Structures are given as structure tokens and as C-alpha cells.
Amino acid sequence: MSGYTAGGRRRIDRVLAPGFSTDLRSLGSDELRDRLTDAEQEEADLSFNRRMLQGRIDLLVAEQDRRVADSGHGPELGTRSDADIVAALAAVLADDRPETPAARVRHSRGEPSRVGEHRRDVEVAVADLRVSDPGSLDDAALGEVLAWLRALERRVSDNRREVLNVVDELSTEVADRVAAGAMSADFG
């Protein structure tokens, strides 16, 4: 997924365009709300795509860990029951990542929208047969696929971070106007 493209027609191009979140005091309340809604929706979409990639990465890392254990160079996994396999899968898919101080966690008001054309890299990545059948890959190919997914996840995360900065700027202006009584807090 590519980030901002000057003159582009995608929502990310509008949200990250120079001027989208500058001179906000000159905007009318409706335009400010529309811009905030666009930015929040872009963040929701990026977050959804990021989590999809992270889930695939987690599954591939679990496959690498299994291989290390099976090779005798890691902790013994032994024969696992169906319950053990389900528990291991649940652990892989759990969202228990430690948060870094720089991480921003938000409750988005929006649900992810239909994945747009500029999200095709993510769609291709999660549908790639190498990702869905890591057992068919040798160790080198598994490492290459992981590196590819991690690079894609970094690009999505970088885009999300830029969009979050825009959301912050717009939200601050909305909050200032609401506090001054110049704007209603109702977005309904």
C-alpha cells in the first residue's frame, strides 16, 4: 500500500494532502466535521488492514517457532492434542502485544469500509497461498514471505501514524470549538 500521492483521488491522498489539516479556523463546522470523518475512516481502514497483516505475520512466526522446536533446537512441542492445537492458535491470534510508549490506541467511531483499490497490496498479501499454507514453504521461503509481510505492515503503520496526526489536529480544533460554544459536539 502506498501512502500519499500528490493529486491522487484516494481518501488517503485527500487526508494527507498539504492543507487538509492547516488553517482549520477558516473552515466552517460542516467542512471540519467532514474532514474529521474522512480522516477517522481512513484510520479505521488502515487499522483493519494492519491487524490483518499482523495476524498473518503471527501465524507465520508460529510456524517458524514450530519448526525450531521440531528440529530439536527449541523447546519440545511433542505430540499435541486437538485441544493443544486450538489453544496454540488462540494464543497466536490473541491481541496481547505489549504497547510501546509511542503506540496510540484509539477507539474508532467508524467501522472499516469496503477495502478500496488502494488496499490491494494488503488483499493480495492475505490471499497469497504462501501465507495461507506456510507448511508448503521451505525455511528460506518462509523467511522471505515474513520479510515481505513485515515491510508491508510497516508501510501501513507509517501511513496510519500520519493519518493519526491529522485526526489529532482536526479533533483538537473540534474540541476547541465545542469548548468555546461555537460548535455542537453532536456528530449524529
Side-chain angles (χ1 to χ4, degrees), residues 161-184:
R161 194 171 307 107
E162 289 181 54
V163 169
L164 282 170
N165 289 334
V166 171
V167 169
D168 286 345
E169 292 168 9
L170 295 165
S171 296
T172 297
E173 179 62 24
V174 168
D176 290 349
R177 289 185 189 190
V178 168
M183 185 174 173
S184 167

Side-chain angles (χ1 to χ4, degrees), residues 70-148:
D70 287 353
S71 73
H73 293 92
E76 180 74 29
L77 292 180
T79 305
R80 296 186 289 176
S81 68
D82 288 347
D84 293 336
I85 292 169
V86 169
L89 181 59
V92 166
L93 297 176
D95 190 12
D96 59 356
R97 294 179 195 335
E99 290 296 329
T100 63
R104 291 195 248 180
V105 178
R106 296 180 182 244
H107 173 70
S108 178
R109 291 190 311 199
E111 293 294 319
S113 61
R114 183 184 67 76
V115 177
E117 298 212 4
H118 64 292
R119 305 282 195 268
R120 286 203 176 149
D121 288 346
V122 173
E123 290 176 338
V124 167
V126 299
D128 190 303
L129 292 177
R130 298 172 303 164
V131 175
S132 62
D133 186 15
S136 68
L137 302 174
D138 63 24
D139 291 345
L142 181 60
E144 289 171 11
V145 170
L146 260 170
W148 169 58

Side-chain angles (χ1 to χ4, degrees), residues 62-78:
E63 173 65 14
Q64 278 186 325
D65 292 347
R66 183 198 62 77
R67 290 179 185 190
V68 168
D70 287 353
S71 73
H73 293 92
E76 180 74 29
L77 292 180

